[in-house]
Amino acid sequence: METKNTSRRDFVKNTTLLAGGLIAAPAISKAANYFSGEADTIKIALIGCGGRGTGAAMQALLSKQNVKLVAMADAFRDRLDKAYNALTADDISEWVGKKGNVKASVDVPEDRKFVGFDAYLKAIPLADVVILTTPPGFRPIHFEEAIKRNKHVFMEKPVATDPAGVLKVLASAEQAKQKKLNVVVGLQRHYQNSYRELFSRKNLIGDITSAQAWWNNDGVWVNPRKEGQTEMEYQMRNWYYFVWLCGDHICEQHIHNLDVINWFKGGYPVKAQGMGGRQVRKGKDHGEIFDHHYVEYQYADGSILNSQCRHIPGTMSKVDELLIGTKGKIYCGASNIKDLSGKTLYQYQYDRSKEPDPYQVEHDELFAAIAKGEYKFADAENGAKSTMTAILGRLATYTGKVVEWDKALNSGLDLHPKEYDWNATPPVVPGADGYYPIATPGVTKLGF
Ligand SMILES: NC(=O)c1ccc[n+]([C@@H]2O[C@H](COP(=O)([O-])OP(=O)(O)OC[C@H]3O[C@@H](n4cnc5c(N)ncnc54)[C@H](O)[C@@H]3O)[C@@H](O)[C@H]2O)c1
């Protein structure tokens, strides 16, 4: 009979041995009987200590298991300090919506705070679970390292910014499956009750023949250039505006909506064509990304997804998804299903006081599974393919061409620098006038 104290440690140890090919795969479901999680500590490391990383670490620490933050890594010391201060504050209600704190669960002395491009290499080995919340350009190498070191993972979307990165994540996802490492991706609609209920009733609308997806709003922050910054530091601070780091806003934010359509369709588009550009967000500090994209995706069965995303203040705001089937429609934002005559077939009932926060549910379910020794979550493959969906759309709007999934995914397109160093030259640099080259449909080539 195993004791509570050895139980989860053994799961982690067994996973490690399994990863090294030393033991046969344990029957996880049987082992689940032995894992309590209450008396044992699950150690986490936070890689990317920005807004989302701080929130995600709090949510991990607020799960019911005995979770401890033991290491932090960031490219910049000031970002790490800000996150550390938030995590050890007396009151974190502005982060999690209720009074309280998690400071007793933060055990990160100076020698477990790591800074720089290689900080992740030092933090990952110290934990059982890693939280990957840097800009998405780094996700493929961070995820690869985490899986190589046999860690369970929570990682934010998107999981890459180019096809080479998507392939790297897919390869690591396969490894994670073989090693039975749980991976949750922050596409939190999968962890939101209303979406789960709609999904379970999707047959009510028959076959899905078309869909629409929107992420239209004002846009996000800008970090203007500061004197003394190298080009690499400037781009890292203002990362949203550089494709190698961010993937453009179709990737960074609209992925949520594209992913919902993929989820309900049960597949991924085979090709895309579209249009886009920048009309408002076009200053020197707006780097190289567009401020609007409109993409027509086609799935293997011929069904169409019309997707639009726009970051332009003063225009219609809408973040939503609509699925149209042979018998009815699913309105995700309104959380209801109607037949073709408009009669409501299902309405999800919100109880604001009890509605679980999907950002918290992601961590509650992940850490509960890990504590019990269960292998339940393999989100990385879908995360990579929904990321690829967004990249496909971007390639279509940048070039004005029809872009095929298979060709794009296997194109070898890799936007990343050869070297990560503050003095290295990033993959894109401004011209003499301080402006960056911008994609022009009809002129910009696919490059494969
Ligand atoms: N699921 C959601 O709803 C949701 C919400 C917000 C953010 N996100 C995602 O979380 C990620 C981070 O977004 P954010 O808003 O926290 O950005 P942020 O700029 O606040 O944080 C990113 C942090 O990563 C650090 N960083 C950059 N490169 C690094 C590297 N190589 N190694 C270590 N640290 C590095 C930055 O210095 C910064 O502190 C993005 O992928 C974003 O899409 C998801």
Side-chain angles (χ1 to χ4, degrees):
M1 178 89 176
E2 294 183 51
T3 65
K4 276 184 176 182
N5 276 341
T6 58
S7 58
R8 200 201 51 77
R9 270 295 131 219
D10 284 354
F11 171 57
V12 173
K13 204 173 85 196
N14 284 347
T15 316
T16 308
L17 291 170
L18 170 68
L22 297 175
I23 58 171
I28 297 290
S29 56
K30 204 167 152 214
N33 298 332
Y34 300 121
F35 297 109
S36 141
E38 284 153 26
D40 209 350
T41 306
I42 303 175
K43 293 191 270 179
I44 61 170
L46 173 60
I47 319 295
C49 309
R52 183 76 267 272
T54 305
M58 287 173 181
Q59 281 139 3
L61 299 178
L62 284 168
S63 70
K64 289 203 177 64
Q65 283 64 41
N66 186 7
V67 182
K68 244 193 175 91
L69 177 65
V70 299
M72 295 170 72
D74 199 281
F76 298 108
R77 179 69 205 214
D78 60 296
R79 299 302 307 262
L80 190 152
D81 288 342
K82 198 170 167 209
Y84 182 82
N85 291 341
L87 282 154
T88 51
D90 291 331
D91 177 22
I92 58 166
S93 50
E94 67 172 293
W95 289 89
V96 295
K98 56 181 177 211
K99 260 193 158 347
N101 65 64
V102 289
K103 60 185 180 180
S105 306
V106 178
D107 177 19
V108 190
E110 264 321 286
D111 63 353
R112 291 203 296 265
K113 293 176 180 167
F114 305 104
V115 173
F117 285 109
D118 62 352
Y120 73 106
L121 292 171
K122 299 170 189 160
I124 287 174
L126 304 177
D128 303 318
V129 184
V130 296
I131 295 180
L132 305 179
T133 44
T134 64
F138 293 103
R139 204 88 70 242
I141 55 172
H142 292 178
F143 182 54
E144 182 181 55
E145 180 68 16
I147 298 305
K148 199 167 103 194
R149 301 228 171 230
N150 311 318
K151 309 302 176 186
H152 301 276
V153 173
F154 171 82
M155 63 176 166
E156 264 306 341
K157 42 49 65 173
V159 302
T161 56
D162 54 25
V166 171
L167 286 182
K168 198 184 266 292
V169 173
L170 286 172
S172 301
E174 191 48 45
Q175 284 291 305
K177 263 193 213 165
Q178 283 173 22
K179 295 180 176 186
K180 293 188 160 56
L181 295 166
N182 287 290
V183 180
V184 166
V185 172
L187 289 161
Q188 72 274 3
R189 283 161 177 76
H190 292 262
Y191 295 83
Q192 184 169 334
N193 278 351
S194 58
Y195 280 88
R196 285 174 163 182
E197 294 296 333
L198 292 173
F199 182 78
S200 71
R201 291 170 176 80
K202 78 186 178 80
N203 287 346
L204 287 174
I205 69 162
D207 294 332
I208 297 168
T209 52
S210 67
Q212 283 184 251
W214 301 263
W215 190 293
N216 293 338
N217 61 13
D218 288 2
V220 302
W221 50 265
V222 175
N223 281 328
R225 192 184 290 274
K226 287 197 178 137
E227 233 184 282
Q229 285 177 329
T230 63
E231 182 63 24
M232 182 63 95
E233 178 175 354
Y234 167 65
Q235 293 194 14
M236 287 284 288
R237 294 275 187 189
N238 199 25
W239 63 264
Y240 203 93
Y241 298 94
F242 297 96
V243 179
W244 68 279
L245 286 162
C246 158
D248 204 316
H249 67 110
I250 188 171
C251 200
E252 245 291 306
Q253 279 165 312
H254 193 37
I255 183 178
H256 282 297
N257 320 104
L258 300 173
D259 170 64
V260 167
I261 308 300
N262 290 340
W263 178 23
F264 281 62
K265 278 291 299 172
Y268 304 91
V270 292
K271 61 182 177 181
Q273 72 86 24
M275 56 189 78
R278 47 195 261 157
Q279 284 190 294
V280 172
R281 200 166 58 180
K282 54 185 182 182
K284 288 179 185 167
D285 282 321
H286 295 135
E288 52 174 345
I289 69 171
F290 281 6
D291 59 18
H292 61 282
H293 303 256
Y294 198 111
V295 184
E296 181 187 75
Y297 289 98
Q298 192 173 317
Y299 289 80
D301 62 3
S303 58
I304 295 294
L305 158 61
N306 282 308
S307 113
Q308 49 182 291
C309 56
R310 177 175 58 206
H311 276 180
I312 300 184
T315 59
M316 178 197 76
S317 279
K318 181 168 173 134
V319 176
D320 203 353
E321 307 89 23
L322 167 67
L323 294 127
I324 302 170
T326 47
K327 293 193 211 155
K329 300 179 186 178
I330 300 176
Y331 296 85
C332 293
S335 306
N336 62 34
I337 303 179
K338 295 188 175 180
D339 70 12
L340 292 176
S341 72
K343 186 177 142 222
T344 302
L345 303 175
Y346 171 73
Q347 175 68 58
Y348 178 76
Q349 297 298 337
Y350 280 99
D351 178 345
R352 302 263 167 222
S353 61
K354 289 199 198 126
E355 197 61 32
D357 174 358
Y359 291 95
Q360 185 61 51
V361 175
E362 291 170 331
H363 292 273
D364 288 349
E365 294 189 1
L366 172 64
F367 283 93
I370 292 169
K372 284 189 200 142
E374 288 176 355
Y375 172 56
K376 272 179 87 171
F377 298 102
D379 289 0
E381 183 181 341
N382 174 62
K385 290 184 177 172
S386 281
T387 297
M388 187 61 212
T389 308
I391 293 171
L392 191 71
R394 184 189 76 218
L395 292 170
T397 61
Y398 279 12
T399 61
K401 306 281 187 216
V402 177
V403 190
E404 290 173 23
W405 175 282
D406 286 343
K407 276 195 192 150
L409 179 60
N410 298 305
S411 62
L413 190 65
D414 182 348
L415 303 177
H416 282 260
K418 296 274 165 296
E419 190 193 359
Y420 295 110
D421 183 275
W422 297 117
N423 292 309
T425 306
V428 60
V429 290
D433 60 359
Y435 288 91
Y436 293 84
I438 308 301
T440 307
V443 175
T444 297
K445 300 269 179 286
L446 273 173
F448 54 87

